[in-house]
Amino acid sequence: MNRKHRKKRKLHQQKFLPLDEEEKAPEQEKTPPAKEQPVKDATKYQDNLKLPAKPTIINNILIANKQHPLPQSYAPGESKEARAAFEAMRTEALKAKIDLTAFSTYRDFARQKVLYDGYVAKDGQQAADRYSARPGYSEHQTGLAFDIGETGQEQHWASATFGDTKGGKWLMENAHRYGFILRYPQGAEKITGYMHESWHYRYVGKEVAADIYAKGVTLEEYLDVH
């Protein structure tokens, strides 16, 4: 057989290599998989993190969590825009015979310290850190956080059971239409830093709230700081 025929036969044989052999061939060229980055646990406070001179604002949205504290002197009071939005939402809820009330909104640094220290004395710091912010880290200091309940249903205020009530369910379905988001959803503690709070809503404005609601994400995920 001449050289030309031998070459043609060799190419013919390579063309019909078994499938498993063809799959094995490129293995030497594969690059090793990238190492997975450890998932940040947002429930933990950063060591030696000092309170800043200014609050953290991302895409015109103020964020306060265990990684983004507020200045001790930051004291804007309750947001008038958030209060107006809440009152409009309450008016709408009344049509469904639901009387919403905001039983806790703005808290300054000193008030948060009193509350937090009391929770630590009662339950210990590790437990308190799951449901209460340290002073300087609370959303309530922004004036944009509203703890919401239903008048006449005080037994469900600041309780996981509020989410199962008529008022709690109405809020879940409608709060975004007025610019509020459920700040600490079920199953997102590692992202938001806090256990689920069915009563804690945060005002972010109608457009952002609608976007967050449609995407089904937390504020941290929306701002890409998780």
Side-chain angles (χ1 to χ4, degrees):
M1 185 181 293
N2 60 36
R3 187 179 298 177
K4 184 177 181 180
H5 287 167
R6 283 199 303 268
K7 186 176 181 180
K8 185 181 290 186
R9 182 179 178 182
K10 186 177 180 181
L11 290 172
H12 181 73
Q13 289 172 339
Q14 288 178 341
K15 184 177 180 181
F16 293 100
L17 280 171
L19 182 60
D20 57 343
E21 291 298 322
E22 289 181 356
E23 290 175 344
K24 289 178 182 177
E27 284 187 358
Q28 297 179 8
E29 299 177 4
K30 287 183 178 179
T31 55
K35 292 183 179 179
E36 291 186 4
Q37 296 297 320
V39 177
K40 181 173 67 178
D41 185 353
T43 65
K44 308 296 183 184
Y45 285 94
Q46 295 183 34
D47 294 334
N48 304 317
L49 182 62
K50 295 181 180 179
L51 298 184
K54 296 180 179 180
T56 301
I57 298 176
I58 302 173
N59 297 334
N60 295 319
I61 300 173
L62 189 155
I63 184 165
N65 59 20
K66 292 178 179 177
Q67 289 72 46
H68 301 88
L70 300 164
Q72 181 173 342
S73 60
Y74 188 71
E78 182 187 272
S79 165
K80 292 181 179 180
E81 184 178 340
R83 170 54 70 173
F86 172 79
E87 293 301 332
M89 182 168 66
R90 177 176 180 269
T91 298
E92 185 66 22
L94 282 170
K95 296 176 183 179
K97 301 188 184 308
I98 297 170
D99 189 2
L100 298 177
T101 182
F103 59 84
S104 181
T105 59
Y106 173 71
R107 295 198 291 263
D108 64 15
F109 181 94
R111 177 57 180 161
Q112 187 65 30
K113 186 177 188 308
V114 170
L115 290 174
Y116 177 77
D117 288 348
Y119 295 138
V120 170
K122 176 177 176 289
D123 297 325
Q125 187 173 55
Q126 185 175 357
D129 279 344
R130 290 192 65 203
Y131 64 82
S132 178
R134 296 178 185 180
Y137 293 80
S138 174
E139 269 214 330
H140 284 281
Q141 192 179 336
T142 69
L144 298 167
F146 278 50
D147 286 345
I148 302 174
E150 188 177 352
T151 301
Q153 298 289 321
E154 286 80 3
Q155 70 273 24
H156 297 297
W157 288 12
S159 170
T161 59
F162 175 66
D164 298 323
T165 66
K166 184 179 179 180
K169 291 177 180 178
W170 189 93
L171 270 176
M172 277 288 291
E173 296 175 359
N174 295 281
H176 65 281
R177 297 170 48 222
Y178 299 89
F180 288 92
I181 59 169
L182 179 65
R183 186 63 179 88
Y184 306 121
Q186 186 78 42
E189 185 172 351
K190 295 288 186 181
I191 299 172
T192 65
Y194 296 97
M195 61 191 294
H196 172 52
E197 293 187 353
S198 59
W199 62 92
H200 184 119
Y201 281 78
R202 160 69 193 271
Y203 182 76
V204 292
K206 289 183 179 180
E207 184 177 347
V208 173
D211 202 13
I212 289 175
Y213 179 82
K215 292 177 178 176
V217 296
T218 63
L219 184 59
E220 279 76 12
E221 291 169 308
Y222 186 74
L223 297 178
D224 197 23
V225 296
H226 63 289

